[in-house]
Amino acid sequence: MTKLTESSLIVHWCTRDEGLIKTVAKGGRRAKGPFAGKLDLFFEAELSWVRSRKSELHTLREVAVGNYRENLRKSYLNTLVASYFVELIAHVVEPDHPIPELYDLLQRGLGYLGKHGADKRGILHFEDEMARLLGVAHERTGAAMALERAFGSVPRNRAVCMDAVTR
C-alpha cells in the first residue's frame, strides 16, 4: 500500500484471474471510510473494482476479507518471508497478466508460513516451485540462481530472509 492523497491509498493485489493489479482505495486512509479494517498486508479478499481505460491504476469499489492471516503479522520473520514471496512474484510477472499457477503458489506459501512459521525449507520450496512453474528450473542450479539468471535478479531481501531463518 502506498499513500496517494490524505485520504486515499494505492493498494496492490495478486489475483487469480487478473494477475497483479493496482487499485485506488478512495477513502482508504479514513478511520470511518468504506475500507476501514479491510486493507492490510497479506489479506485475502473478494474484490469489486472498475478497470481504468487510461492507466494501470484501477478503482477499488468493495472489499470482503475472507482471511486476515493474523499469524503472518504476529512474527517479524513471518512478515519478512511473506514479503519476499510477494516481491518475488511481483518481480517476475507483468501487471494485469493472469497468473493462476503463481497465485496458487502464493496462497500455499502464505498458508505454510501462517501454519508452520518461516523456515529455510519453506523458502527453498517456494523458489523451487516458482522456477519449475516458470520453466526456468535447472537440475544443476539452485532455484534462486535460476530465477536470478532468467529475470536479472531476485529481491534483495532474500539474503536477509535466508540469514534470519538460518540463525
Side-chain angles (χ1 to χ4, degrees):
M1 288 187 279
T2 308
K3 178 181 172 182
L4 180 63
T5 66
E6 288 303 314
S7 63
S8 298
L9 290 168
I10 296 174
V11 184
H12 299 245
W13 302 93
C14 179
T15 69
R16 174 186 288 279
D17 298 328
E18 303 294 332
L20 300 177
I21 62 169
K22 293 182 202 174
T23 60
V24 174
K26 295 178 182 176
R29 299 189 71 224
R30 282 192 241 132
K32 297 190 181 204
F35 302 111
K38 298 178 180 180
L39 303 175
D40 206 344
L41 293 174
F42 316 118
F43 279 10
E44 182 178 356
E46 289 190 32
L47 309 175
S48 172
W49 51 282
V50 177
R51 183 174 292 281
S52 172
R53 294 181 191 159
K54 298 178 183 177
S55 76
E56 65 178 27
L57 195 55
H58 314 296
T59 303
L60 188 61
R61 289 233 157 149
E62 294 179 49
V63 175
V65 179
N67 186 350
Y68 290 90
R69 293 196 175 99
E70 298 92 356
N71 288 343
L72 296 183
R73 290 181 303 284
K74 288 180 181 176
S75 157
Y76 171 73
L77 188 54
N78 287 349
T79 303
L80 181 68
V81 173
S83 296
Y84 170 63
F85 289 174
V86 170
E87 286 180 51
L88 187 55
I89 286 181
H91 184 68
V92 303
V93 173
E94 295 292 324
D96 296 316
H97 180 77
I99 52 163
E101 304 86 11
L102 294 181
Y103 172 86
D104 292 341
L105 176 62
L106 181 60
Q107 294 300 314
R108 291 192 329 264
L110 296 177
Y112 178 87
L113 292 174
K115 187 173 182 179
H116 302 285
D119 58 23
K120 185 176 179 179
R121 180 176 164 255
I123 294 170
L124 295 176
H125 180 74
F126 188 87
E127 292 171 341
D128 286 342
E129 284 295 295
M130 178 173 275
R132 183 185 64 76
L133 290 169
L134 293 170
V136 298
H138 297 283
E139 288 181 23
R140 296 181 185 156
T141 306
M145 181 63 75
L147 291 165
E148 186 172 348
R149 286 182 181 164
F151 297 99
S153 65
V154 294
R156 287 184 286 165
N157 75 342
R158 181 190 191 273
V160 175
C161 291
M162 293 304 285
D163 182 54
V165 297
T166 55
R167 287 186 183 176

